[in-house]
Amino acid sequence: MKMGEVILVGAGPGDPGLMTVRGLEALSSAQVVVYDRLVSPAILSKIPETAEKINVGKRSSHHLVPQDQINQILLDKALEGKKVVRLKGGDPFLFGRGGEELELLAEHHVPFQEIPGITSAIAVPAYAGIPVTHRDFCSSVHIITGHQRAGMPLNIPFDALVGTKGTLVFLMGVSALPQICQGLLDAGMSPDMPAAVVEKGTTPSQRPILATLSTLPQKAAEEQVESPAIIVVGEVCTLNQQFDWFDRLPLKNQKIIVTRPKERAGTLAGRLRQLGADVTEFPCIETVPMIPCPPMEQALAQIDSYTWLAFTSPAGVSALMEHLDRTNRDVRALGRIHLAAIGPGTDRELRKHGLRADLIPEVYDGEHLGQALCQASPAGKVLILRAQWGTEALTQALDQGGIAYDDIRCYETKFTCPQAEEVRAMLNRDDPPTVTFTSASTVRGFAAAMGDFDPLSLVGACIGEQTRAAAELLDIPTITAEKATMDALIQVIEDHTN
């Protein structure tokens, strides 16, 4: 059997946007993923569905799987010929025990790689507005583990650290915070030295606690700070009030559930995260091409009889391209036909294939697409490729305009319900999360996944009137974007939040 491979991948400090491109590439082709507790759920969602997932989650003073067993799992899976990704929070080689995990592999001549991750020692202070170096305050930065082995004293050279006059960053030190601060005080550091502890750094729940060296332990106890958190000691902590950009983001810590299909959720979820939102991706529908689809095959065989090819969603474009690829053809099979798209998102999908829409209505819905086709030049027969349960507004508008058409349903929308219990637990009348609905299908899919739920326990952010109508049929309070675009949907969420 061919030998497998192990790739140690640093997942970064929490924000999924801080995982490296190379790390994501390795993850996308993994056959086995062995992961820790601190890896973001948004990153875990990118694990291939076909991959074996092994949770070896570790937290302070408690290892779900002991380290020697983790090492053995990596070796055993590689010896099975598998491509194994060992996914670790932060950077594997910075207090991540990555070196220990490679020793057994090297002993057995198993190929391995290490893909560095952004460490929390730098990223978390940065997200809290604390640059770890600044020439007005210090000329060095020192990263120290604050981890205490059970029953053992801290093994930290406090005298040497104080003598550096640099910024001190302690990882895994929350439980030992009083001892760390006292050790620095005993070594001669000023009680008034600025200090901070930053909880859940780079995530929407990030919480910086600012104090002085002498007051930080008491303040952290009063605020009930828990791990994961890092400790920063140094004059640079005074820059927090001036530089704390993360806490000022417009959607900071706002809970938002994104219901788009998994293959299309990333763009909206990513943009919301950039605004500080606490995003849960809950793809409660998936689009599946109809295979085979004789009506589409017949229409493509006589494509020259149509003047316009109309798409009501990016999924229709994807279904067509998949069909062409499956039959060893490409866009040349479309001849000289004109293309109509319901909105910019569908046009972007066309452009991925070297095409672009000749017509996009001013209002992005089926009714206005139909009206625009009635007024289009050149006039002629329309081929519609869309979902099995598409709205009748498009064909009604074409009927009223006397335009001939073939309405072909080339893909179906299926309801799914991953992590339904997790999402159900988020619904709360007193603090309702915002749930994004980008089509009437996402509303129905969400309702099917949730079962019996309180509609007043959420706010539905709807991309258009048809979507809003579907939500209001379920008595869900709604806010509606002015236009059926992601920009407008995000703007209405911002307006509602503020």
Side-chain angles (χ1 to χ4, degrees):
M1 179 181 292
K2 182 181 177 181
M3 178 76 76
E5 178 186 24
V6 176
I7 306 177
L8 265 63
V9 176
D15 181 344
L18 295 181
M19 187 171 177
T20 66
V21 172
R22 190 172 175 197
L24 287 170
E25 289 173 348
L27 188 62
S28 69
S29 59
Q31 295 172 295
V32 180
V33 179
V34 182
Y35 64 93
D36 284 345
R37 175 181 72 99
L38 294 182
V39 177
S40 162
I43 292 175
L44 294 179
S45 72
K46 299 183 184 300
I47 297 174
E49 293 183 1
T50 55
E52 180 183 359
K53 305 172 187 66
I54 303 175
N55 179 8
V56 295
K58 295 183 287 184
R59 68 179 67 202
S60 179
S61 303
H62 175 71
H63 287 198
L64 184 66
V65 180
Q67 186 63 54
D68 60 337
Q69 291 185 28
I70 295 174
N71 302 347
Q72 191 65 46
I73 289 170
L74 298 178
L75 176 62
D76 291 346
K77 293 299 178 180
L79 293 177
E80 291 175 12
K82 303 287 181 61
K83 180 176 181 179
V84 184
V85 165
R86 173 67 172 108
L87 195 58
K88 302 171 73 71
D91 178 88
F93 282 179
L94 185 63
F95 306 130
R97 305 183 75 170
E100 296 175 44
E101 294 180 356
L102 295 185
E103 288 174 350
L104 187 62
L105 300 175
E107 183 182 328
H108 289 79
H109 307 288
V110 171
F112 57 80
Q113 299 180 39
E114 194 273 348
I115 299 176
I118 294 177
T119 173
S120 61
I122 306 298
V124 170
Y127 269 52
I130 302 173
V132 292
T133 65
H134 190 291
R135 66 178 183 175
D136 291 342
F137 299 115
C138 63
S139 58
S140 63
V141 58
H142 308 268
I143 304 171
I144 310 103
T145 176
H147 178 67
Q148 261 182 305
R149 293 196 176 189
M152 300 290 288
L154 283 173
N155 185 23
I156 297 175
F158 290 109
D159 290 335
L161 290 174
V162 172
T164 67
K165 300 187 186 304
T167 302
L168 307 179
V169 181
F170 295 86
L171 306 184
M172 300 176 289
V174 173
S175 61
L177 178 59
Q179 297 96 306
I180 290 171
C181 292
Q182 190 60 51
L184 293 172
L185 290 169
D186 291 345
M189 184 173 283
S190 169
D192 296 326
M193 177 64 74
V197 59
V198 186
E199 181 185 62
K200 298 179 182 175
T202 79
T203 75
S205 301
Q206 173 176 296
R207 197 166 52 123
I209 310 298
L210 279 295
T212 65
L213 183 62
S214 62
T215 61
L216 186 61
Q218 180 179 347
K219 195 166 183 181
E222 291 171 352
E223 296 289 343
Q224 299 181 325
V225 172
E226 297 180 348
S227 67
I230 72 162
I231 303 159
V232 186
V233 180
E235 297 286 353
V236 290
C237 292
T238 60
L239 296 170
N240 162 266
Q241 289 187 343
Q242 184 180 354
F243 292 168
D244 187 0
W245 59 274
F246 191 58
D247 263 352
R248 298 174 189 146
L249 293 176
L251 296 179
K252 174 68 166 61
N253 211 24
Q254 295 296 315
K255 291 180 172 53
I256 301 178
I257 300 167
V258 173
T259 61
R260 297 189 87 193
K262 185 174 183 179
E263 65 274 14
R264 306 195 187 281
T267 301
L268 177 58
R271 291 181 62 183
L272 291 168
R273 286 192 180 103
Q274 289 173 8
L275 295 172
D278 184 356
V279 177
T280 298
E281 295 182 46
F282 183 51
C284 50
I285 65 169
E286 60 179 338
T287 55
V288 181
M290 294 181 178
I291 301 174
C293 186
M296 181 163 65
E297 181 60 46
Q298 183 178 351
L300 292 175
Q302 52 187 21
I303 194 70
D304 291 339
S305 67
Y306 300 100
T307 303
W308 288 92
L309 173 55
F311 298 98
T312 61
S313 77
V317 179
S318 298
L320 171 62
M321 296 305 166
E322 185 170 333
H323 175 79
L324 292 176
D325 184 64
R326 194 172 59 253
T327 54
N328 297 314
R329 289 177 290 176
D330 58 28
V331 295
R332 289 173 294 179
L334 302 180
R336 297 177 179 273
I337 198 165
H338 293 76
L339 303 175
I342 199 168
T346 303
D347 184 38
R348 281 194 294 273
E349 189 66 25
L350 285 168
R351 293 184 186 218
K352 291 179 183 178
H353 304 280
L355 304 170
R356 66 174 61 217
D358 300 293
L359 181 153
I360 301 175
E362 291 186 6
V363 178
Y364 310 137
D365 62 25
E367 178 183 1
H368 288 85
L369 176 60
Q371 292 173 356
L373 285 166
C374 290
Q375 300 168 7
S377 178
K381 190 175 182 180
V382 178
L383 171 60
I384 305 168
L385 297 181
R386 59 174 174 161
Q388 184 178 22
W389 305 111
T391 174
E392 300 305 314
L394 169 58
T395 51
Q396 287 174 357
L398 293 175
D399 287 335
Q400 291 173 4
I403 301 296
Y405 61 85
D406 283 334
D407 186 10
I408 294 177
R409 313 302 174 107
C410 62
Y411 64 95
E412 58 183 327
T413 300
K414 293 185 176 180
F415 298 155
T416 63
C417 52
Q419 75 227 57
E421 290 303 320
E422 174 190 343
V423 171
R424 190 176 289 110
M426 295 172 61
L427 304 185
N428 187 335
R429 270 198 179 211
D430 295 329
D431 184 22
T434 301
V435 181
T436 65
F437 295 125
T438 54
S439 67
S441 295
T442 59
V443 177
R444 291 190 286 268
F446 180 84
M450 290 296 97
D452 185 17
F453 71 99
D454 178 3
L456 299 182
S457 63
L458 66 136
V459 174
C462 302
I463 202 165
E465 290 303 317
Q466 293 172 358
T467 305
R468 178 193 60 76
E472 291 187 349
L473 278 175
L474 299 172
D475 296 323
I476 296 173
T478 61
I479 53 176
T480 305
E482 289 188 4
K483 288 186 175 182
T485 66
M486 292 301 122
D487 287 340
L489 183 61
I490 291 170
Q491 186 60 57
V492 77
I493 293 172
E494 280 193 54
D495 293 345
H496 174 74
T497 300
N498 298 320

